[in-house]
Amino acid sequence: MAEFEPKIVAFLCNWCTYAGADLAGTSRIQYPPNVRVIRLMCSGAVDPMYIIRALIEGIDGVLIGGCHPGDCHYINGNYKARRRITILKTLLKEMGIDENRVWLRWISASEGQLFANTIKDIVTKMKELGPNPMRNYWGT
Amino acid sequence: MSKYFKLDVKNKKITESLNDFLSRLLEHKVVDVLLIPQRLAKSTVQTVIEDREKIKDADPLAPVIPVNSSIIAANLTRTTLNKKVGIILKPCEIRAFLELVKLNQAHLDNVVIISGDCFGTYTVSDYQEFLKVTDSKRASGDSFLQMVQSKGKVVPLRTACQICEYPTPQNAHISILTCGVDSVKEILLEVEDTLAEKLSPLSLKSASLPKKREAALLKIQKEKKKEREKVFKEIEKDVSKIENFISLFSTCIGCQNCRKVCPICYCEVCLFETNVLKYESAKYFRWAKKKGILRMPTDTLLFHITRMNHMITSCVECGSCESACPSKIPIGTIFSFLAGKAQHVFDYKPGIDVKDELPLATFKEEELEPR
């Protein structure tokens, strides 16, 4: 059987992480093709609903990428994202959904290498965790 | 600091002497309007009155919460008031009201909050059962108080009340104290200092806290804490595994009553009623193909977990959601259990201090790292 290839959804902020991903591309830095990128204006614009939806549907890992603290284009969106994701992860843990499937990372527009490394890290960790069991439950 | 007064009770008619006091608040213009529970046929509902003559059927201590009255209080105080409004709330309703104030849905100016020791409440349907076994001529608040104090067999309270952490009101301007007070003879009023001066035309008898009150309160809190631990231990088993969590919500019919009655869910239009969650038919078939089976209607778990994420830091554990659930899902208990965990992260207690900022409306530059 072929090796398990995790599916990752990445919600990236327009100003930093998305540009960082772009830089990784234009700089021809190699990273695993497991990630599906969704561009948003800010990490603070990610409603937890979209992360929950991805996890319920069986996505193996979710990355939320934002600007470094202090660098947010909208002054404080990333700080708010940090609080929201913390609550989400606290609740997921209590419900028996592995909270380590949700990653919040700060990656700037100049950190193409960091973006590639982060994707590599997630893919490795999700391979260790195995497939998201939610993909087997339809009663959601 | 507060001042204490006492009201004499004649013939064990606690509610009568309380109503007399409340009507005198109207008479002496301490308040211009009252929001007060009154008996209406088979239930007791909140009413707005200006005329003190209309206070006759009032049952302010009635052990029932048809809707969390903080929602009603928010409706009454949405804009700045030019009248002094006295609102009678249960302790959990005050907490929800303060959260609504923080959420800019209500105002505290010109509001006098009147509350009392709360020994618990029934759902509307259980309240009717309770009325059947009590003397119909008496106010239900009186019968209930007597039952509680004589430890008689009573219809079981709502779960939220059985596990309540705050049986005594906080942040009330006037608190009606019956716990540890010989309430067949007298009721104690705890009045906030600034308001106490305005009560002087009522020529109330001053009093002091009876020594036995502390012990009586402690006893109730201890009982409720024990029950809380028991209930939480049970629910933890059901919550902590995703299969069990799915099974908890397998009976959900998607009516969203839990959201509609929630005092904290104040959004005019909920995300789950918008087009964001209406899909083209191809999407259903694609989903069905992916997992092999698709539960219809869709998004049951998505709704509950998302709602939880949106409001749980402000959840005051009033249990309205659970009372409103036609499938009897222990949703209030689930939310209470998880609310504690989420609120603990920010060391936040909802509805306790109006100055505490909502965790999701603020942030610190250095916190919660590493993520």
Side-chain angles (χ1 to χ4, degrees), chain B residues 79-265:
Chain B
T79 48
T80 317
L81 297 170
N82 50 13
K83 285 179 178 202
K84 203 89 172 150
V85 180
I87 51 176
I88 297 177
L89 301 176
K90 304 248 185 280
C92 57
E93 294 172 326
I94 303 182
R95 297 201 301 280
F97 185 61
L98 290 197
E99 286 303 291
L100 287 171
V101 170
K102 292 185 205 176
L103 290 161
N104 287 328
Q105 303 301 306
H107 289 94
L108 281 172
D109 312 330
N110 276 330
V111 171
V112 175
I113 300 175
I114 304 165
S115 187
D117 289 340
C118 181
F119 294 94
T121 55
Y122 299 120
T123 58
V124 176
S125 54
D126 283 347
Y127 181 61
Q128 288 173 46
E129 295 301 311
F130 165 80
L131 289 179
K132 278 181 203 160
V133 298
T134 52
D135 181 356
S136 59
K137 287 194 198 79
R138 294 184 73 191
S140 71
D142 288 5
S143 311
F144 181 65
L145 209 58
Q146 196 183 7
M147 260 185 192
V148 171
Q149 287 175 344
S150 64
K151 305 248 175 303
K153 271 271 171 230
V154 282
V155 187
L157 299 170
R158 300 184 314 127
T159 313
C161 299
Q162 288 178 32
I163 64 171
C164 175
E165 279 186 301
Y166 307 97
T168 189
Q170 302 186 15
N171 297 303
H173 300 101
I174 302 177
S175 304
I176 304 151
L177 308 183
T178 47
C179 180
V181 177
D182 200 359
S183 61
V184 284
K185 290 197 200 118
E186 61 182 35
I187 319 168
L188 209 60
L189 296 177
E190 183 179 346
V191 183
E192 214 181 51
D193 251 354
T194 45
L195 192 70
E197 286 165 32
K198 290 181 190 146
L199 292 188
S200 55
L202 276 74
S203 49
L204 296 165
K205 288 185 215 164
S206 58
S208 57
L209 266 185
K211 288 200 181 74
K212 58 181 177 175
R213 177 170 163 82
E214 201 177 327
L217 264 181
L218 214 64
K219 191 165 163 259
I220 293 182
Q221 277 166 335
K222 224 169 156 182
E223 280 168 17
K224 304 237 175 196
K225 194 177 172 206
K226 206 173 143 197
E227 188 62 27
R228 189 178 174 86
E229 279 162 10
K230 199 180 106 193
V231 168
F232 278 0
K233 215 169 169 184
E234 272 313 295
I235 206 73
E236 190 172 8
K237 269 187 256 163
D238 290 335
V239 169
S240 59
K241 266 193 164 169
I242 193 64
E243 315 68 305
N244 299 356
F245 200 79
I246 291 170
S247 118
L248 272 178
F249 288 101
S250 61
T251 54
C252 177
I253 61 168
C255 64
Q256 301 195 10
N257 274 359
C258 46
R259 166 181 71 72
K260 286 170 198 157
V261 298
C262 178
I264 306 301
C265 274

Side-chain angles (χ1 to χ4, degrees), chain B residues 6-10 12-26 34 36-37 55-56 58-62 88 114-117 139 141-142 145 174-178 183 186-190 202 204:
Chain B
K6 67 176 176 186
L7 303 174
D8 291 325
V9 173
K10 284 179 204 125
K12 298 184 183 174
K13 288 181 177 165
I14 303 159
T15 299
E16 201 176 273
S17 78
L18 193 56
N19 287 351
D20 174 59
F21 164 71
L22 294 170
S23 75
R24 284 196 289 155
L25 289 182
L26 285 172
L34 265 181
I36 184 169
I55 219 165
K56 261 183 283 172
D59 199 347
L61 301 175
I88 297 177
I114 304 165
S115 187
D117 289 340
D142 288 5
L145 209 58
I174 302 177
S175 304
I176 304 151
L177 308 183
T178 47
S183 61
E186 61 182 35
I187 319 168
L188 209 60
L189 296 177
E190 183 179 346
L202 276 74
L204 296 165

Side-chain angles (χ1 to χ4, degrees), chain A residues 13 42-45 64-87 104-106, chain B residues 346 358-369 371:
Chain A
C13 105
C42 180
S43 57
I64 302 99
C67 308
H68 285 272
D71 288 352
C72 178
H73 189 78
Y74 305 101
I75 322 275
N76 54 28
N78 49 0
Y79 291 122
K80 289 174 178 166
R82 185 167 63 189
R83 285 205 158 199
R84 260 180 232 144
I85 303 297
T86 306
I87 290 175
L104 174 64
R105 290 294 181 273
W106 312 137
Chain B
F346 303 106
L358 295 164
L360 287 179
T362 183
F363 60 87
K364 287 183 192 142
E365 284 184 14
E366 277 171 36
E367 63 172 358
L368 310 170
E369 301 277 353
R371 281 149 274 112

Side-chain angles (χ1 to χ4, degrees), chain A residues 53 56 82-83 104 137 140, chain B residues 279 291 299 359 369 371:
Chain A
R53 153 137 280 155
I56 286 177
R82 185 167 63 189
R83 285 205 158 199
L104 174 64
Y137 300 120
T140 55
Chain B
Y279 318 106
K291 282 194 182 180
D299 302 334
E369 301 277 353
R371 281 149 274 112

Side-chain angles (χ1 to χ4, degrees), chain A residues 7 47-59 64 68-70 75-97 100 102-106 133-140, chain B residues 236 239-243 245-246 249-250 271-272 276-277 279 283 287 290-291 293-295 297-302 305-306 308-310 312-313 337-339 341-342 345-346 358-369 371:
Chain A
K7 278 188 184 164
D47 192 301
M49 181 181 82
Y50 297 105
I51 304 167
I52 299 161
R53 153 137 280 155
L55 290 172
I56 286 177
E57 282 186 34
I59 283 291
I64 302 99
H68 285 272
I75 322 275
N76 54 28
N78 49 0
Y79 291 122
K80 289 174 178 166
R82 185 167 63 189
R83 285 205 158 199
R84 260 180 232 144
I85 303 297
T86 306
I87 290 175
L88 174 68
K89 290 181 79 162
T90 309
L91 294 175
L92 289 179
K93 188 180 169 195
E94 294 298 328
M95 289 170 205
I97 300 176
N100 295 318
V102 179
W103 290 43
L104 174 64
R105 290 294 181 273
W106 312 137
M134 289 302 285
R135 66 170 64 171
N136 302 319
Y137 300 120
W138 57 266
T140 55
Chain B
E236 190 172 8
V239 169
S240 59
K241 266 193 164 169
I242 193 64
E243 315 68 305
F245 200 79
I246 291 170
F249 288 101
S250 61
L271 175 63
F272 282 84
V276 173
L277 286 107
Y279 318 106
K283 195 151 186 175
W287 274 330
K290 215 159 89 188
K291 282 194 182 180
I293 309 182
L294 178 66
R295 178 182 176 182
T298 55
D299 302 334
T300 305
L301 222 52
L302 183 70
I305 304 179
T306 303
M308 201 181 274
N309 271 278
H310 286 174
I312 203 145
T313 47
F337 174 69
L338 294 172
K341 310 270 177 191
V345 176
F346 303 106
L358 295 164
L360 287 179
T362 183
F363 60 87
K364 287 183 192 142
E365 284 184 14
E366 277 171 36
E367 63 172 358
L368 310 170
E369 301 277 353
R371 281 149 274 112

